Amino acid sequence: MYEPPKYENQPLTPAEVGTLVDEKLDPRDITSTIVGLAVKGYIQIEGNEKRRNDFDKTIIILKRLKAMIRISILLKSN
């Protein structure tokens, strides 16, 4: 079974892994983290598709379902 890479026994987020791979933070890294949080049940993603014409955009709403506590490994002091 696949497990995400870990650092100090904590799994890295998709954004952290994506940033380490190509040394820059891309929108897809952030998007994958948001989807990952939804899969784990921390947030709910809803789309509002009330369109009046072809130029209207879909509004995406993120709702927090439960609190997530994580101290970033990048901000730890030595």
Side-chain angles (χ1 to χ4, degrees):
M1 185 167 147
Y2 172 78
E3 289 186 18
K6 294 181 180 181
Y7 179 77
E8 292 185 358
N9 210 21
Q10 286 189 344
L12 298 175
T13 66
E16 290 170 327
V17 173
T19 303
L20 289 172
V21 167
D22 60 8
E23 298 182 355
K24 61 182 178 176
L25 184 63
D26 300 312
R28 67 178 170 215
D29 299 331
I30 302 297
T31 303
S32 62
T33 297
I34 292 170
V35 172
L37 290 172
V39 168
K40 293 177 184 177
Y42 289 104
I43 62 173
Q44 180 178 1
I45 303 171
E46 295 180 0
N48 180 358
E49 296 190 35
K50 294 181 181 176
R51 295 177 181 235
R52 287 171 274 154
N53 57 47
D54 290 338
F55 299 106
D56 288 339
K57 295 184 179 182
T58 301
I59 298 172
I60 304 298
I61 300 168
L62 303 176
K63 292 184 179 181
R64 186 177 76 172
L65 300 178
K66 59 184 178 180
M68 184 177 92
I69 300 173
R70 178 185 164 117
I71 299 173
S72 176
I73 59 175
L74 300 175
L75 298 178
K76 279 185 169 178
S77 60
N78 294 331

